[in-house]
Amino acid sequence: MNFGLTDEQEMIVSTVRGFVENEIYPHEALVEKTGEVPQEIAQEIKRKVIDLGFYASNFPESVGGPGLSHLEFALVERELGRGSMALTHFFGRPQNILMACQGDQIERYLMPAVRGERMDALAMTEPDAGSDVRGMKCSAVRDGGDWVLNGSKHFISGADHADFFIVFVATGVDETPRGPKKRITCFLVDRGTPGFEVAKGYTSVSHRGYKNCILYFDNCRLSDAQVLGVVDGGFDVMNEWLYATRITVATMAVGRARRVFDHAVDYAAGRNQFGQPIAKFQGVSFQIADMITEIDAADFLTLGAAWRLDQGLPANREIASAKVYASEMLARVTDATLQIHGGMGLMEDFPIERFWRDARVERIWDGTSEIQRHIISREIFRPLGA
């Protein structure tokens, strides 16, 4: 067992960390204050990432990506997790599901996304369909040779900057012994398509500047050329490609936790009470010890899951374990760091309250902690027929 990184992997970590510290950190206070990422800053970040050769780093060389392994991409995401998500969004990691593009879709969607010419957004969640994906009401029906979409999506991250959308909708119902089961199809929908509107979403306390939007479809007409994968095969492309989002949340949680941990250590070493640094008190030092133990555990769990993907080994349970543990670890680390800072931890003069707010959403999106535990337990009991 070799837990060390190669020289190339160390260079990836160093390069991305340096980029985050030099190109992301300086703009974070502005984004926190205004809730906006100025267009010139967004474009500057994207341009510099493309120049570095890291844009679309989750895509293979065969389509113009850097061709990083799953493990190497996890290292990239871990370092990006240190920075504001509103800003690192422009580091550019298109949805892996675009690898399912075929025919004209390749030059219309996949290649422009990899080159940074067009940005995508994934649209799955609805007001009544979060964890229960098959509960979605947004639907498409045949009308002549086209599809007509009606319904809405919400909590669509990055939609404000997206040029096109990867939209999952219901396209039929099968009667099964366990009741009606909706068939799902994935569509590629361009911004500006008649009958399609991108509206302002909700104001979140987490990740200011990284906005969510609401999508409305009102008799939005699409051709078969807009189907990603095959009709009624949305779950197949979803299961083949979207596992990456869970491991991304896990790796970014680890990166953010390490940044938060550094703040906790620095403050504990420099803050004096009763004539000595508060790091001397076991009430603080033991919290620090627990924090680094949990961070390291989450790190190895996450990188181990990515390594399994590179080896072609089953990794569904391991990815779910990494996502639930890393996201909950981040919550504990940020809360403990805030406690160590005392009242100042809640003041906007320090970034701690931001880390604390941002951490809360990680246990919800890309599969709640409850869904991850369901996946883990199902993988354990399924071979036993239970």
Side-chain angles (χ1 to χ4, degrees):
M1 299 177 71
N2 182 1
F3 292 98
L5 300 181
T6 65
D7 290 344
E8 183 177 350
Q9 291 167 345
E10 291 283 9
M11 183 186 69
I12 290 172
V13 171
S14 175
T15 300
V16 179
R17 182 176 299 180
F19 186 91
V20 171
E21 292 175 348
N22 295 318
E23 306 296 339
I24 301 298
Y25 285 4
H27 302 301
E28 289 182 336
L30 175 64
V31 173
E32 279 298 304
K33 182 178 180 180
T34 65
E36 302 284 344
V37 177
Q39 188 64 22
E40 60 273 18
I41 292 177
Q43 292 305 314
E44 180 184 14
I45 291 172
K46 181 189 290 189
R47 178 183 59 78
K48 289 182 177 179
V49 175
I50 292 173
D51 289 345
L52 274 177
F54 275 92
Y55 200 88
S57 52
N58 52 328
F59 279 76
E61 291 180 328
S62 61
V63 296
L68 302 184
S69 66
H70 289 289
L71 175 59
E72 290 163 346
F73 181 61
L75 295 173
V76 170
E77 291 284 22
R78 189 181 70 184
E79 297 310 312
L80 292 179
R82 292 175 174 267
S84 162
M85 185 168 286
L87 291 161
T88 59
H89 174 67
F90 299 98
F91 199 89
R93 290 92 78 209
Q95 296 290 333
N96 293 70
I97 200 171
L98 290 174
M99 286 297 294
C101 284
Q102 300 177 16
D104 292 342
Q105 294 174 347
I106 294 174
E107 289 302 325
R108 187 173 175 184
Y109 298 104
L110 172 60
M111 300 308 293
V114 172
R115 292 192 294 261
E117 297 165 359
R118 304 189 76 195
M119 295 194 78
D120 61 296
L122 183 69
M124 190 179 302
T125 304
E126 299 178 11
D128 295 320
S131 298
D132 179 16
V133 177
R134 288 194 188 272
M136 64 176 58
K137 296 178 181 177
C138 190
S139 63
V141 296
R142 278 288 193 186
D143 183 50
D146 294 332
W147 293 92
V148 179
L149 275 65
N150 282 285
S152 65
K153 299 286 182 181
H154 77 164
F155 292 157
I156 309 307
S157 301
D160 51 331
H161 297 285
D163 299 293
F164 68 93
F165 299 78
I166 304 162
V167 185
F168 288 83
V169 300
T171 46
V173 180
D174 291 324
E175 295 298 330
T176 73
R178 301 180 64 178
K181 184 178 180 181
K182 290 183 179 178
R183 300 193 299 271
I184 306 297
T185 301
C186 183
F187 289 89
L188 296 165
V189 186
D190 292 298
R191 181 185 288 274
T193 300
F196 172 43
E197 177 189 358
V198 181
K200 181 181 178 180
Y202 315 99
T203 301
S204 174
V205 301
S206 297
H207 299 299
R208 287 178 182 165
Y210 185 63
K211 298 181 180 179
N212 66 85
C213 294
I214 302 173
L215 311 185
Y216 294 106
F217 299 92
D218 182 10
N219 292 323
C220 178
R221 187 172 290 271
L222 300 174
S223 69
D224 279 331
Q226 303 302 109
V227 174
L228 183 61
V230 298
V231 174
D232 297 334
F235 264 95
D236 292 333
V237 291
M238 189 187 305
N239 291 332
E240 181 175 1
W241 296 108
L242 292 186
Y243 60 81
T245 61
R246 286 183 282 144
I247 202 165
T248 291
V249 172
T251 53
M252 294 187 79
V254 171
R256 194 166 300 122
R258 291 203 182 278
R259 183 179 178 186
V260 174
F261 177 77
D262 289 343
H263 280 278
V265 170
D266 290 344
Y267 192 82
R271 169 71 167 169
N272 286 296
Q273 289 289 279
F274 304 103
Q276 60 183 341
I278 61 173
K280 294 285 188 179
F281 300 107
Q282 290 184 348
V284 173
S285 63
F286 281 15
Q287 286 190 78
I288 295 291
D290 288 342
M291 289 159 68
I292 193 59
T293 300
E294 288 202 65
I295 293 170
D296 284 347
D299 205 355
F300 284 123
L301 188 62
T302 302
L303 296 181
W307 177 86
R308 289 183 67 87
L309 288 175
D310 285 328
Q311 307 310 308
L313 298 172
N316 201 32
R317 177 181 66 79
E318 288 79 4
I319 291 173
S321 294
K323 200 276 183 182
V324 69
Y325 185 78
S327 61
E328 293 186 355
M329 172 277 298
L330 177 61
R332 291 188 290 270
V333 167
T334 54
D335 192 74
T337 299
L338 193 152
Q339 189 71 18
I340 289 170
H341 280 73
M344 289 304 298
L346 288 167
M347 302 300 110
E348 293 186 355
D349 303 73
F350 284 79
I352 308 306
E353 58 87 25
R354 167 164 62 92
F355 299 142
W356 184 57
R357 283 187 285 105
D358 290 350
R360 188 59 186 88
V361 73
E362 309 300 342
R363 289 173 276 168
I364 297 174
W365 59 13
D366 290 292
T368 64
S369 290
E370 291 75 18
I371 288 295
Q372 304 311 314
R373 288 185 168 90
H374 169 69
I375 293 171
I376 295 164
S377 58
R378 182 187 62 193
E379 294 289 313
I380 292 171
F381 287 113
R382 180 176 282 171
L384 304 177

